[in-house]
Amino acid sequence: MKRIIGHLDMDSFFASLEERATPSFKGKPIVVGSDPKEGKGRGVVSTANYKAREYGIRSALPISKAWQLSEKAKKEGKEEVIFLPSNFDLYERSSEKILSIVKKYSSKVEQGSIDEFYFDLSDNNLKKAENICKKIKQEIKTEEKITCSIGLGPNKLIAKIAAGKNKPDGFLIIKEEEIEDFLNPLPIRTIPGIGNKTAQILYDLKIGTIKQLKKYSCEELKKILHSKTGEDIYLKARGIDKTPIIEYREVKSISGQITFEDDVSDIVIITERYLKHNEEIFNRFKNSNFKKFKTLTITIRFSDFKTISSGKTFKDALGENDIKLLKKETLRLLLPFLDRRKNPKMKRIRLIGIRLENFEK
Ligand code: TTP
Ligand code: MG
């Protein structure tokens, strides 16, 4: 059966919600992310609204660079950027509301991330599906006071690419027979699954667009890239995607990380912060549907960005009363990296993380 799949992605989601929360921010360039500390901050940009994107600011850009771009804009007489920390409660609440709106119109919805949703409209003809998408867009605008972009197509891949094509506040329908013309001119990076590394391998072969990518056979791509990636990308370049909508994606891990303001070597500072962070992660586990977890992994990133993981799987799973045991075990894993046992050059620590997984319900 032919499918009709929608993909909805909120426009500059975190920044749009901040703009909505504070009326005086309206129309101003906004960046949500780490503290820029007048150019000395060490984190990255979570997102920038479209006004701030005009300055060249994007997700994942170092926050110090975003600060410089804002300063440059200020010198040119433009508005300076408003930098804000993230407020996940606000974003999660809105995400839930949006999900409930989409669910009113489709009985099969998959949440792809905090701000994107796939939904199945195959029970309708295309005209009706189009009208439903318009209603969803309108309802989000009225109820949530922010905009989204929707793509409609014969599968998840095409719907997602179409949603990203006319941002912000976009709506694009791609029919089966339009797929080829739609995909051909697009840069290869548009294909979900082609990241920096894969793209670079392809750029080196002078492959820049999907049309150029399609000159290579499946076998050739399997040789050039990893076998599975090669086949995956061969199919995606032709708009072929049979993946179903997965309504309930199980959470597989609960994790978090802290980046220190300055790289640190002081064992007291590191362990204090880390144990406090362990408690936060443990509380997220206690508030989840899971009763127990079996595997604990810690991650350490040194000042030279070398990153190491170390973990333990318990014979007897840990439960909601085992915070002391968790702290003991994380320290046992961490301490060798703070002295010469596993850190012979005594490098400073930049980041540490913790992950709980292997859950029992
Ligand atoms: P995106 O949908 O990728 O970005 P966006 O909604 O901000 O902008 P667009 O209009 O292009 O869709 O991500 C959703 C949210 O996830 C985003 O608002 C912030 C967060 N995020 C990060 O924290 N870090 C990242 O690197 C990215 C890409 C997103
Ligand atoms: Mg988005």
Side-chain angles (χ1 to χ4, degrees), residues 38-90:
E38 312 219 312
K40 297 195 187 77
R42 286 156 48 94
V44 291
V45 171
S46 280
T47 196
N49 68 356
Y50 282 76
K51 191 87 199 142
R53 288 183 202 190
E54 288 171 14
Y55 299 175
I57 302 176
R58 300 267 179 285
S59 290
L61 189 77
I63 202 77
S64 52
K65 183 86 203 173
W67 173 268
Q68 286 165 15
L69 289 168
S70 168
E71 290 294 295
K72 182 168 164 267
K74 203 161 87 179
K75 275 196 199 119
E76 290 165 1
K78 294 183 201 152
E79 199 115 36
E80 69 182 298
V81 171
I82 300 168
F83 287 92
L84 301 167
S86 49
N87 173 3
F88 276 97
D89 275 352
L90 174 68

Coordinates of all heavy atoms in Angstrom, one line a residue, residues 38-90:
E38 N 31.6 36.7 27.8 CA 32.2 37.8 27.0 C 33.3 37.2 26.1 O 34.4 37.8 26.0 CB 32.8 38.8 28.0 CG 31.8 39.3 29.0 CD 31.9 40.8 29.2 OE1 33.0 41.3 29.4 OE2 30.8 41.4 29.2
G39 N 33.0 36.1 25.5 CA 34.0 35.5 24.5 C 34.9 34.4 25.1 O 35.6 33.8 24.4
K40 N 34.8 34.3 26.5 CA 35.7 33.3 27.1 C 35.0 32.0 27.4 O 35.7 31.0 27.9 CB 36.3 33.9 28.4 CG 37.2 35.1 28.1 CD 38.1 35.4 29.3 CE 38.8 36.7 29.2 NZ 38.0 37.9 29.4
G41 N 33.7 31.9 27.2 CA 33.0 30.7 27.5 C 33.4 29.5 26.6 O 34.0 29.7 25.6
R42 N 33.2 28.3 27.2 CA 33.8 27.1 26.5 C 32.8 26.2 25.9 O 33.2 25.2 25.2 CB 34.6 26.3 27.6 CG 35.9 27.0 27.9 CD 36.4 26.6 29.3 NE 36.4 25.2 29.6 CZ 37.5 24.4 29.4 NH1 38.6 24.9 28.9 NH2 37.4 23.2 29.7
G43 N 31.5 26.4 26.1 CA 30.6 25.4 25.5 C 30.2 25.7 24.1 O 31.0 26.4 23.3
V44 N 29.0 25.3 23.7 CA 28.5 25.5 22.3 C 27.1 26.1 22.3 O 26.5 26.2 23.3 CB 28.5 24.2 21.5 CG1 29.9 23.7 21.3 CG2 27.7 23.1 22.2
V45 N 26.7 26.5 21.1 CA 25.4 27.0 20.8 C 24.4 25.8 20.7 O 24.7 24.8 20.0 CB 25.4 27.8 19.5 CG1 24.0 28.1 19.1 CG2 26.3 29.0 19.6
S46 N 23.3 25.8 21.5 CA 22.3 24.8 21.3 C 21.5 25.1 20.0 O 21.3 24.3 19.1 CB 21.3 24.8 22.5 OG 21.9 24.1 23.5
T47 N 21.0 26.3 20.0 CA 20.3 26.8 18.8 C 20.3 28.3 18.7 O 20.5 29.0 19.7 CB 18.9 26.3 18.6 OG1 18.5 26.4 17.3 CG2 17.9 27.0 19.5
A48 N 20.1 28.8 17.5 CA 20.0 30.3 17.3 C 18.7 30.5 16.6 O 18.3 29.7 15.7 CB 21.1 30.8 16.5
N49 N 18.0 31.6 16.9 CA 16.8 31.9 16.1 C 17.2 32.4 14.7 O 18.4 32.6 14.5 CB 15.8 32.8 16.8 CG 16.3 34.3 17.0 OD1 17.5 34.6 16.6 ND2 15.5 35.1 17.5
Y50 N 16.2 32.6 13.8 CA 16.6 32.9 12.4 C 17.3 34.2 12.3 O 18.1 34.4 11.4 CB 15.4 32.7 11.5 CG 15.1 31.2 11.2 CD1 14.6 30.4 12.2 CD2 15.6 30.6 10.1 CE1 14.4 29.0 12.0 CE2 15.4 29.3 9.9 CZ 14.9 28.5 10.8 OH 14.7 27.1 10.6
K51 N 16.9 35.2 13.2 CA 17.6 36.5 13.2 C 19.1 36.3 13.5 O 19.9 36.9 12.8 CB 16.9 37.4 14.2 CG 17.3 38.8 14.2 CD 16.4 39.6 13.2 CE 17.1 40.9 12.9 NZ 17.0 41.3 11.5
A52 N 19.4 35.5 14.5 CA 20.8 35.3 14.9 C 21.5 34.5 13.8 O 22.7 34.6 13.6 CB 20.9 34.6 16.2
R53 N 20.8 33.6 13.1 CA 21.4 32.9 12.0 C 21.9 33.8 10.9 O 22.9 33.4 10.2 CB 20.5 31.8 11.4 CG 20.2 30.7 12.4 CD 19.3 29.6 11.9 NE 18.8 28.9 13.0 CZ 18.1 27.7 12.9 NH1 17.9 27.2 11.7 NH2 17.6 27.1 14.0
E54 N 21.3 35.0 10.8 CA 21.8 35.9 9.7 C 23.2 36.4 10.1 O 23.9 36.8 9.2 CB 20.9 37.2 9.7 CG 19.5 36.9 9.1 CD 18.5 38.1 9.3 OE1 19.0 39.2 9.6 OE2 17.3 37.9 9.1
Y55 N 23.6 36.2 11.3 CA 25.0 36.6 11.7 C 26.0 35.4 11.5 O 27.1 35.5 11.8 CB 25.1 37.0 13.2 CG 24.2 38.2 13.6 CD1 24.1 38.6 14.9 CD2 23.5 39.0 12.7 CE1 23.4 39.7 15.3 CE2 22.8 40.0 13.0 CZ 22.7 40.4 14.4 OH 21.9 41.5 14.7
G56 N 25.4 34.3 11.0 CA 26.3 33.1 10.8 C 26.3 32.2 12.0 O 27.1 31.3 12.1
I57 N 25.4 32.4 13.0 CA 25.4 31.6 14.2 C 24.5 30.4 14.0 O 23.4 30.5 13.5 CB 25.0 32.4 15.4 CG1 25.9 33.6 15.6 CG2 25.0 31.5 16.7 CD1 25.5 34.6 16.7
R58 N 25.0 29.2 14.4 CA 24.3 27.9 14.2 C 24.5 27.0 15.4 O 25.4 27.2 16.2 CB 25.0 27.1 13.0 CG 25.0 27.8 11.7 CD 23.8 27.4 10.8 NE 23.8 28.1 9.5 CZ 23.4 29.3 9.3 NH1 23.1 30.1 10.4 NH2 23.4 29.9 8.1
S59 N 23.6 26.0 15.4 CA 23.8 24.9 16.5 C 25.2 24.4 16.4 O 25.8 24.2 15.3 CB 22.8 23.8 16.2 OG 21.5 24.1 16.5
A60 N 25.8 24.1 17.6 CA 27.1 23.4 17.7 C 28.3 24.3 17.5 O 29.4 23.9 17.6 CB 27.2 22.1 16.8
L61 N 28.0 25.5 17.1 CA 29.1 26.5 17.0 C 29.7 26.8 18.4 O 28.9 26.9 19.3 CB 28.6 27.8 16.3 CG 29.6 28.8 15.9 CD1 30.3 28.4 14.6 CD2 29.0 30.2 15.7
P62 N 31.0 26.9 18.5 CA 31.5 27.3 19.9 C 30.9 28.6 20.3 O 30.8 29.5 19.5 CB 33.0 27.5 19.6 CG 33.3 26.6 18.5 CD 32.1 26.6 17.6
I63 N 30.5 28.7 21.5 CA 29.8 29.9 22.0 C 30.7 31.1 21.9 O 30.2 32.2 21.7 CB 29.3 29.6 23.5 CG1 28.1 30.6 23.8 CG2 30.3 29.7 24.5 CD1 26.8 30.2 23.2
S64 N 32.0 30.9 22.1 CA 33.0 32.0 22.0 C 32.9 32.6 20.6 O 33.0 33.9 20.4 CB 34.4 31.6 22.3 OG 34.7 30.4 21.5
K65 N 32.7 31.8 19.6 CA 32.6 32.2 18.2 C 31.3 33.0 18.0 O 31.3 34.1 17.3 CB 32.7 31.0 17.3 CG 32.7 31.3 15.8 CD 34.1 31.6 15.3 CE 34.0 32.3 14.1 NZ 34.4 33.0 13.2
A66 N 30.3 32.5 18.6 CA 29.0 33.2 18.5 C 29.1 34.6 19.1 O 28.5 35.5 18.6 CB 27.9 32.4 19.2
W67 N 29.8 34.7 20.2 CA 30.0 36.0 20.8 C 30.7 36.9 19.9 O 30.3 38.1 19.7 CB 30.8 35.8 22.1 CG 31.2 37.0 22.8 CD1 32.3 37.7 22.6 CD2 30.4 37.8 23.7 NE1 32.3 38.9 23.4 CE2 31.1 39.0 24.1 CE3 29.1 37.6 24.3 CZ2 30.6 39.9 24.9 CZ3 28.6 38.6 25.2 CH2 29.4 39.7 25.5
Q68 N 31.8 36.4 19.3 CA 32.5 37.3 18.3 C 31.6 37.8 17.2 O 31.7 38.9 16.8 CB 33.7 36.5 17.7 CG 34.9 36.2 18.6 CD 35.8 35.2 18.1 OE1 35.7 34.8 16.9 NE2 36.7 34.6 19.0
L69 N 30.8 36.8 16.7 CA 29.9 37.2 15.6 C 28.9 38.3 16.0 O 28.6 39.2 15.3 CB 29.2 36.0 15.0 CG 30.1 35.0 14.2 CD1 29.4 33.7 14.0 CD2 30.5 35.7 12.9
S70 N 28.5 38.2 17.3 CA 27.6 39.2 17.8 C 28.3 40.5 17.9 O 27.7 41.6 17.6 CB 27.0 38.7 19.1 OG 26.3 39.8 19.8
E71 N 29.5 40.5 18.4 CA 30.3 41.7 18.6 C 30.5 42.4 17.3 O 30.4 43.6 17.1 CB 31.6 41.4 19.3 CG 31.5 41.0 20.7 CD 31.0 42.1 21.6 OE1 31.8 43.1 21.7 OE2 29.9 42.0 22.2
K72 N 30.8 41.6 16.3 CA 31.0 42.1 14.9 C 29.8 42.8 14.4 O 29.8 43.9 13.8 CB 31.4 40.9 14.0 CG 31.8 41.3 12.6 CD 32.4 40.1 11.8 CE 32.4 40.4 10.4 NZ 31.3 39.8 9.7
A73 N 28.6 42.1 14.6 CA 27.4 42.7 14.1 C 27.1 44.0 14.8 O 26.6 45.0 14.2 CB 26.2 41.7 14.4
K74 N 27.4 44.0 16.1 CA 27.2 45.2 16.9 C 28.0 46.4 16.3 O 27.5 47.5 16.2 CB 27.6 45.0 18.4 CG 26.9 45.9 19.4 CD 27.0 45.3 20.8 CE 28.3 45.7 21.5 NZ 28.4 45.2 22.8
K75 N 29.2 46.1 16.0 CA 30.1 47.2 15.4 C 29.5 47.7 14.1 O 29.7 48.8 13.7 CB 31.5 46.6 15.2 CG 32.3 46.7 16.4 CD 33.8 46.5 16.1 CE 34.5 46.2 17.4 NZ 35.2 44.9 17.3
E76 N 28.8 46.8 13.4 CA 28.2 47.2 12.1 C 26.9 47.9 12.3 O 26.1 48.1 11.3 CB 28.0 45.9 11.2 CG 29.3 45.4 10.7 CD 29.2 43.9 10.2 OE1 28.1 43.4 10.2 OE2 30.2 43.4 9.8
G77 N 26.5 48.1 13.6 CA 25.3 48.9 13.9 C 24.1 48.0 13.9 O 22.9 48.4 14.0
K78 N 24.3 46.6 13.9 CA 23.2 45.7 14.1 C 22.9 45.4 15.5 O 23.8 45.7 16.4 CB 23.5 44.4 13.3 CG 23.6 44.6 11.8 CD 23.8 43.3 11.2 CE 24.4 43.4 9.8 NZ 25.3 42.3 9.4
E79 N 21.8 44.8 15.7 CA 21.4 44.4 17.1 C 22.3 43.4 17.7 O 22.7 42.4 17.0 CB 20.0 43.8 17.0 CG 19.2 43.8 18.3 CD 18.0 44.7 18.2 OE1 17.4 44.8 17.1 OE2 17.7 45.3 19.2
E80 N 22.7 43.5 19.0 CA 23.5 42.5 19.5 C 22.7 41.3 20.0 O 21.5 41.4 20.2 CB 24.4 43.0 20.7 CG 23.6 43.3 21.9 CD 24.5 43.9 23.0 OE1 25.4 43.2 23.5 OE2 24.3 45.1 23.4
V81 N 23.3 40.1 20.0 CA 22.6 38.9 20.3 C 22.3 38.8 21.8 O 23.1 39.2 22.7 CB 23.5 37.7 19.9 CG1 22.9 36.4 20.4 CG2 23.7 37.6 18.4
I82 N 21.1 38.3 22.1 CA 20.7 37.9 23.5 C 21.1 36.5 23.7 O 20.6 35.6 23.0 CB 19.2 38.1 23.7 CG1 18.8 39.6 23.4 CG2 18.8 37.7 25.1 CD1 17.3 39.8 23.3
F83 N 22.0 36.3 24.7 CA 22.5 34.9 25.0 C 21.7 34.4 26.2 O 21.6 35.0 27.2 CB 24.0 34.9 25.3 CG 24.8 35.1 24.0 CD1 25.2 36.3 23.6 CD2 25.2 34.0 23.3 CE1 26.0 36.5 22.5 CE2 26.0 34.2 22.1 CZ 26.4 35.4 21.7
L84 N 21.1 33.2 26.1 CA 20.3 32.6 27.2 C 20.8 31.2 27.5 O 21.1 30.4 26.6 CB 18.9 32.6 26.7 CG 18.2 34.0 26.4 CD1 16.9 33.7 25.7 CD2 18.1 34.8 27.7
P85 N 20.7 30.8 28.8 CA 20.9 29.4 29.1 C 19.7 28.6 28.8 O 18.6 29.1 28.6 CB 21.1 29.5 30.6 CG 20.3 30.6 31.1 CD 20.3 31.6 29.9
S86 N 19.9 27.3 28.7 CA 18.7 26.5 28.3 C 17.8 26.2 29.5 O 18.2 26.1 30.6 CB 19.1 25.2 27.6 OG 20.1 24.5 28.4
N87 N 16.5 26.0 29.2 CA 15.5 25.7 30.2 C 14.7 24.6 29.8 O 13.6 24.7 29.2 CB 14.7 27.0 30.3 CG 13.5 26.9 31.2 OD1 13.3 25.9 31.8 ND2 12.7 28.0 31.3
F88 N 15.2 23.3 30.0 CA 14.6 22.1 29.5 C 13.2 21.9 29.8 O 12.4 21.4 29.0 CB 15.5 20.9 29.8 CG 16.6 20.7 28.8 CD1 17.9 21.2 29.1 CD2 16.4 20.2 27.6 CE1 18.9 21.1 28.2 CE2 17.4 20.0 26.7 CZ 18.7 20.5 27.0
D89 N 12.8 22.3 31.1 CA 11.4 22.1 31.5 C 10.5 22.8 30.5 O 9.5 22.2 30.1 CB 11.2 22.8 32.9 CG 11.6 21.8 34.0 OD1 11.9 20.6 33.6 OD2 11.6 22.2 35.1
L90 N 10.8 24.0 30.2 CA 10.0 24.8 29.2 C 9.9 24.1 27.9 O 8.8 23.9 27.3 CB 10.6 26.2 29.0 CG 10.0 27.1 28.0 CD1 8.6 27.5 28.4 CD2 10.8 28.3 27.8

